[in-house]
Amino acid sequence: MYDSILVPTDGSDASEGAVEHAIELATQYDATLHALYVVDTGAYSSLEMGAEIVAEALQEEGKKAVDRIETAAEEAGVSVEATVKTGLAHRSIVDYVDEEGIDLVVMGTHGRTGVGRFLLGSVAEKVIRTADAPVMTVRTPKSADEEESEE
């Protein structure tokens, strides 16, 4: 059913939950897992000075994030391809889906609603709306601090 599964990561806890699901699915379907980190140019494009330093640091962070996925996938016996790209996060993910013939995208989400989602935007939501492949979102469990702040 799935030959190629993409797990985009930003190195966050939300991404890590998605990685576990993606590895399980890749194992079940004997699929290749694609780990993708996007150095989001939209996040630092307004910096006049130091943009190059920020970009280099994010490249390094991205390499570490996909390396962790690569190690976990290999330990599970899953074939894996790790990539770090530069661009707008949602657009780069959708482009990767098209370029690599991805059958399923598994990505983490913080599960924000209302104004929080509106103000922060959602890479996952944009990918869901624009990708030609099915997108599975894995919601990050709320921490005790987050649950208390909602009460």
Side-chain angles (χ1 to χ4, degrees), residues 11-12 20 23 29 33 42 44 54 57 63 76 80 87 90 93 96 112 114 119 128 132-133 148-150:
S12 69
E20 293 174 21
I23 290 173
Y29 291 103
L33 183 67
Y44 64 89
V54 172
K63 178 78 171 103
V80 62
H90 73 280
I93 292 167
Y96 190 92
R112 291 186 183 99
L119 292 176
I128 290 166
D132 288 331
E148 286 177 13
S149 69
E150 289 182 358

Side-chain angles (χ1 to χ4, degrees), residues 6 10-11 18 28 33 86 91 93 99 112 125 139 143 149:
L6 172 62
D10 61 4
Q28 181 177 351
L33 183 67
T86 301
R91 184 78 251 153
I93 292 167
E99 292 163 7
R112 291 186 183 99
E125 183 179 350
R139 188 171 175 178
S143 69
S149 69

Side-chain angles (χ1 to χ4, degrees), residues 61-145:
E61 180 181 315
K63 178 78 171 103
K64 289 177 185 175
V66 296
D67 284 350
R68 284 192 303 271
I69 295 170
E70 189 170 34
T71 299
E74 288 172 349
E75 287 174 359
V78 171
S79 174
V80 62
E81 294 182 23
T83 305
V84 176
K85 294 183 95 170
T86 301
L88 295 176
H90 73 280
R91 184 78 251 153
S92 295
I93 292 167
V94 171
D95 288 348
Y96 190 92
V97 166
D98 294 340
E99 292 163 7
E100 299 296 326
I102 298 297
D103 301 310
L104 175 68
V105 180
V106 180
M107 60 190 308
T109 180
H110 293 282
R112 291 186 183 99
T113 59
V115 175
R117 187 184 78 193
F118 176 75
L119 292 176
L120 295 172
S122 170
V123 172
E125 183 179 350
K126 291 173 185 171
V127 171
I128 290 166
R129 286 189 286 114
T130 58
D132 288 331
V135 179
M136 173 188 288
T137 58
V138 178
R139 188 171 175 178
T140 304
K142 292 181 182 176
S143 69
D145 292 339

